[in-house]
Amino acid sequence: MANYTAANVKKLRDLTGAGMLDCKNALQEADGDIDKAVEVLRVKGAKGVGKREGRTASNGLVAARLDGGETGVLVELNCETDFVAKTDGFQQLAATVADIIAEGRPADVDALLATTHDGSTVKQILDEANASMGEKIEVRRFDRFAPDTASGAGGYVAAYLHKTMPDLPPAVGVLVELDVEQPTVAKDVAQHIAAMVPRYVTRAEIPAETLATERRIAEETAREEGKPEQALPRIIEGRLNGFVKDVTLTDQAFVKEPKKTVGAVLDEAGVTVRRFARYRVGQS
């Protein structure tokens, strides 16, 4: 008897891009557990797994607001179709939401929706837009960066927006905070982040449980491939190091100078990246 539903198969396919039969077999092996099924697919080398994790069907845009390099806002506003995303009304709504975040400093999306602007809450503003544009419109996420003035530490915030289609608004956005004002470095790093999709600034930020999971997957994959037992430690460490280099900003090869890592470029410039946020519409 199957221990999963058709909805589970669809969700796994949306998450991984793997084929239907692979998804059914993985769910069967994982006793219906979606997360375990993703690992099963990765171990067995199913095509495309991991490249589409977190994908949704949302459309919309990413907007940013900067205030003299001192603070910055990045926000993703979603709608149902590209047709609405490229309208002036939708783009103006995104700019208004970015302004409200910058000025009201809400802690999260729920707090943002409760924030009042010109006599209406943001939720009411979005509801009115839903009615007038005929589509579901919602704020998916936002980040606001501002240096910690209480500690006396300065900083510099920059943003980069990228269009994936020339006739549509920006679908990729990056907000980055440096410890010192270096506009050129900030722009280069933000563009690199947009292109190379790091998940962490440094190795130290990678959670221990994430490393443990990747180590386990590396071992199970190597065993699945029939690698000799005596070679496993070297293979596992090599694959784990490859994962770290792939997801860590400072360990990635710099797109403008591939012979250097981003960390080396930052060291040469005397700059530290404190944090960053990267959004792509419809992806986590």
Side-chain angles (χ1 to χ4, degrees):
M1 181 176 179
N3 52 4
Y4 56 86
T5 65
N8 295 142
V9 175
K10 182 179 184 303
K11 181 176 180 180
L12 187 58
R13 292 191 71 192
D14 289 342
L15 284 171
T16 65
M20 182 176 291
L21 183 58
D22 287 335
C23 288
K24 287 182 176 180
N25 290 338
L27 283 165
Q28 187 71 42
E29 185 173 335
D31 198 31
D33 186 294
I34 295 289
D35 291 335
K36 289 182 180 178
V38 172
E39 288 191 16
V40 169
L41 288 170
R42 290 184 62 188
V43 168
K44 294 185 179 299
K47 184 178 179 181
V49 173
K51 295 181 180 179
R52 294 174 58 190
E53 289 182 33
R55 188 168 182 177
T56 71
S58 299
N59 289 290
L61 61 78
V62 180
R65 167 174 158 165
L66 295 174
D67 292 294
E70 295 181 358
T71 62
V73 167
L74 191 69
V75 59
E76 179 181 344
L77 186 68
N78 290 144
C79 57
E80 295 180 47
T81 65
D82 288 342
F83 176 79
V84 165
K86 61 185 178 182
T87 62
D88 291 341
F90 185 79
Q91 293 177 44
Q92 182 56 55
L93 176 62
T96 298
V97 171
D99 289 343
I100 295 170
I101 295 168
E103 295 160 13
R105 305 178 186 181
D108 52 32
V109 172
D110 286 341
L112 170 63
L113 295 177
T115 300
T116 300
H117 176 75
D118 288 345
S120 299
T121 65
V122 172
K123 184 178 186 308
Q124 290 171 331
I125 293 171
L126 293 178
D127 287 344
E128 291 173 4
N130 290 341
S132 64
M133 297 182 190
E135 289 194 4
K136 181 179 181 180
I137 296 172
E138 59 185 5
V139 176
R140 182 158 184 254
R141 52 186 166 175
F142 71 84
D143 274 280
R144 178 181 177 274
F145 288 176
D148 184 6
T149 54
S151 67
Y156 181 75
V157 180
Y160 172 69
L161 300 177
H162 178 74
K163 291 185 176 183
T164 57
M165 297 289 288
D167 62 332
L168 295 177
V172 177
V174 174
L175 195 66
V176 61
E177 182 183 340
L178 308 183
D179 63 334
V180 294
E181 184 175 346
Q182 286 271 18
T184 300
V185 174
K187 179 182 177 181
D188 286 346
V189 170
Q191 290 179 336
H192 173 96
I193 292 168
M196 302 308 294
V197 203
R199 289 162 54 186
Y200 311 96
V201 176
T202 66
R203 295 181 178 219
E205 293 183 3
I206 304 177
E209 58 269 25
T210 298
L211 290 174
T213 296
E214 290 301 321
R215 183 182 295 277
R216 184 179 68 252
I217 291 173
E219 179 177 357
E220 292 177 1
T221 303
R223 293 186 184 280
E224 182 80 13
E225 294 169 347
K227 302 297 184 184
E229 190 71 27
Q230 64 271 23
L232 288 181
R234 175 179 54 80
I235 294 171
I236 293 167
E237 288 306 312
R239 290 179 176 177
L240 189 62
N241 286 333
F243 165 78
V244 170
K245 289 180 180 180
D246 187 49
V247 301
T248 304
L249 173 64
T250 53
D251 285 322
Q252 289 182 337
F254 185 41
V255 289
K256 292 182 70 174
E257 296 183 70
K259 292 183 179 181
K260 296 180 179 180
T261 64
V262 175
V265 172
L266 293 172
D267 288 343
E268 290 174 4
V271 173
T272 297
V273 174
R274 287 180 176 158
R275 53 182 168 168
F276 69 84
R278 180 194 183 277
Y279 299 166
R280 179 168 181 138
V281 172
Q283 294 186 5
S284 59

